[in-house]
Amino acid sequence: MNTPRSARRAATLLRRPLLGHVPRLAAARSTHYSLLDHASHGSRWLLRRRFSAGSGASMMAEEVTRQNDTIFALSTHPGKAALAIIRISGPQTGRALQMLLPRSSSRSAEAPLAPRLAVKTRIVDPASADSTLDTGLCIWFPGPRSFTGEDMAELHIHGGSAVIASVLRALGSIPNLRMAEAGEFSRRAFDNDKMDLTTLEGVTDLINAETEAQRKLAVRQAGGELHELYEHWRERMVSLMANIEAYIDFSEEENIEDGVLDNVRRIAGSLKEDIANHLNDGRRGEILRSGVSLAIVGPPNSGKSTLLNRLAQRQVAIVSPVAGTTRDIIETTLDIGGYPLVVRDTAGLRHADGDAIEAEGIRRALESAREADMRICLLDATDVLDQQQKLDGVLGADEWRALLSLPHTLI
């Protein structure tokens, strides 16, 4: 039935900004959160921790309380260095700075320092203003114009272990401040709409990038390239939904254009094809992140470990004339033209003769060879004419041929 209410809804869908009717497309890799509730304004999804059955409302209340805590953490690599940066984020950040910095009548919890200005200052013990912990730079980032969207501060101090420990200990002594959990600053940035999941994943990849190709990919994703693609898909989906709802709710007398459903089918088919092509990329992104895997296989004493050491240009594996020296997978990552290559040395393929440990090593070698993106089968060139008989005796002709017939296998 065509009612005024349904007509208003369809008209609103057709003219409102394309926001939030379809969940954002993003892969929340390695997270421990569940998407439970869609925000009423339709522009974001709320994340909540996944609780076990019967955990009760008390655990949820405790979680919400922890999300409102003021947190702090060392943001630079631990250990001795010239500099270290400690971040603070949360509603009590301004009060914490008041207690850590020398007393001044111009400072308040709402405005402890001038915003986004590096100020050289002493950092004192809250328990004793005369006790100087260090001298460094302090930067105040009032929310929402900060990384997390909350009030934030950074302390740039000297990177000695004792200095870092003393400042962290001083922060921990301030009421309602606690050490941040792993990834909690990024999680708060997501909760406050500062970043979406694709951007967070890009930042993580950028931090973990070891090669030039990994860095370039991570920079593009952290800059919003993947988000823009998914947002474009979402807008097309919302447009399709609006057209379908208008077609359903309006009668033929309402001047709905001819061919609306045909147009929806055409656009939906094109969108489906775009998404399928995006997913069917031959695992390029995954391979670039994790590296191309190369397994070196072959009979004992064929030079597998020597080849690995030559490729790595260092002593990665033990080289010995005694057959069966390598019993487990030995792995190293190389940078080949900016692309990561994960090379694995494996146990020599032969009959284990009752040696359970070597038998397990051979099983792992075969499994690694089958799962690898590429394989190098290494044979002893001085005895190559007898290798086929030896290999047939080790694995059986059919199993050996199946291994050598895998794609991207070099002999």
Side-chain angles (χ1 to χ4, degrees), residues 113 120 212:
L113 291 173
K120 183 180 179 181
E212 183 66 11

Side-chain angles (χ1 to χ4, degrees), residues 219-280:
V219 167
R220 292 202 307 269
Q221 183 164 336
E225 182 178 288
L226 197 59
H227 167 76
E228 291 176 1
L229 174 63
Y230 291 169
E231 183 69 12
H232 177 61
W233 288 349
R234 187 186 64 82
E235 290 176 357
R236 292 169 67 183
M237 291 180 187
V238 172
S239 177
L240 294 175
M241 291 172 59
N243 280 278
I244 292 174
E245 291 204 29
Y247 184 84
I248 293 173
D249 290 343
F250 287 109
S251 66
E252 295 180 358
E253 291 78 14
E254 297 293 341
N255 296 322
I256 295 296
E257 297 179 4
D258 295 334
V260 170
L261 286 183
D262 292 337
N263 189 50
V264 166
R265 292 191 185 97
R266 180 182 58 80
I267 296 176
S270 174
L271 179 59
K272 178 181 178 182
E273 184 178 352
D274 290 346
I275 295 175
N277 291 336
H278 179 72
L279 296 175
N280 188 25

Side-chain angles (χ1 to χ4, degrees), residues 40-365:
S40 60
H41 60 280
S43 63
R44 62 186 287 269
W45 284 71
L46 300 178
L47 285 186
R48 292 292 182 265
R49 271 192 187 281
R50 182 182 296 120
F51 295 101
S52 58
S55 59
S58 61
M59 291 188 67
M60 179 66 77
E62 179 183 351
E63 177 64 17
V64 172
T65 301
R66 289 182 67 81
Q67 289 178 354
N68 294 327
D69 287 347
T70 298
I71 57 175
F72 63 90
L74 177 66
S75 295
T76 49
H77 196 279
K80 293 182 180 180
L83 296 173
I85 299 176
I86 295 177
R87 272 179 167 177
I88 313 168
S89 180
Q92 300 298 319
T93 301
R95 187 173 66 86
L97 289 185
Q98 269 192 307
M99 301 177 69
L100 285 173
L101 304 183
R103 304 291 185 264
S104 173
S105 58
S106 62
R107 291 191 179 121
S108 65
E110 292 76 21
L113 291 173
R116 287 167 288 280
L117 181 66
V119 177
K120 183 180 179 181
T121 180
R122 289 190 304 121
I123 299 171
V124 301
D125 190 339
S128 174
D130 296 330
S131 177
T132 300
L133 301 177
D134 192 19
T135 299
L137 299 177
C138 181
I139 309 177
W140 162 244
F141 300 94
R145 295 176 59 189
S146 67
F147 175 78
T148 61
E150 305 172 327
D151 287 346
M152 273 192 66
E154 288 184 0
L155 301 175
H156 296 230
I157 59 177
H158 293 96
S161 301
V163 175
I164 295 172
S166 66
V167 176
L168 292 177
R169 186 165 52 248
L171 285 168
S173 68
I174 299 175
N176 300 321
L177 264 71
R178 63 173 175 83
M179 187 74 77
E181 300 174 359
E184 191 167 1
F185 282 89
S186 296
R187 175 186 172 181
R188 292 191 176 197
F190 176 86
D191 286 342
N192 293 319
D193 279 341
K194 287 295 179 177
M195 289 189 288
D196 69 352
L197 293 179
T198 61
T199 306
L200 285 174
E201 187 178 67
V203 171
T204 301
D205 290 342
L206 188 58
I207 293 172
N208 295 324
E210 297 180 352
T211 69
E212 183 66 11
Q214 288 176 327
R215 182 195 64 79
K216 290 180 179 179
L217 178 66
V219 167
R220 292 202 307 269
Q221 183 164 336
E225 182 178 288
L226 197 59
H227 167 76
E228 291 176 1
L229 174 63
Y230 291 169
E231 183 69 12
H232 177 61
W233 288 349
R234 187 186 64 82
E235 290 176 357
R236 292 169 67 183
M237 291 180 187
V238 172
S239 177
L240 294 175
M241 291 172 59
N243 280 278
I244 292 174
E245 291 204 29
Y247 184 84
I248 293 173
D249 290 343
F250 287 109
S251 66
E252 295 180 358
E253 291 78 14
E254 297 293 341
N255 296 322
I256 295 296
E257 297 179 4
D258 295 334
V260 170
L261 286 183
D262 292 337
N263 189 50
V264 166
R265 292 191 185 97
R266 180 182 58 80
I267 296 176
S270 174
L271 179 59
K272 178 181 178 182
E273 184 178 352
D274 290 346
I275 295 175
N277 291 336
H278 179 72
L279 296 175
N280 188 25
D281 64 347
R283 297 173 49 243
R284 286 197 300 266
E286 178 185 347
I287 289 174
L288 190 54
R289 286 191 186 94
S290 306
V292 178
S293 58
L294 169 65
I296 305 176
V297 296
N301 282 357
S302 58
K304 299 185 300 298
S305 298
T306 301
L307 176 60
L308 176 67
N309 292 340
R310 289 293 183 90
L311 292 174
Q313 298 182 2
R314 61 188 177 90
Q315 293 296 316
V316 178
I318 297 175
V319 177
S320 168
V322 178
T325 303
T326 302
R327 296 197 171 194
D328 205 349
I329 306 295
I330 299 177
E331 180 179 293
T332 188
T333 302
L334 308 177
D335 183 348
I336 307 296
Y339 293 87
L341 177 67
V342 182
V343 186
R344 298 187 179 99
D345 181 21
T346 62
L349 303 179
R350 66 173 182 178
H351 288 299
D353 295 330
D355 190 332
I357 296 177
E358 186 175 5
E360 175 63 18
I362 293 173
R363 186 195 67 79
R364 294 187 182 187

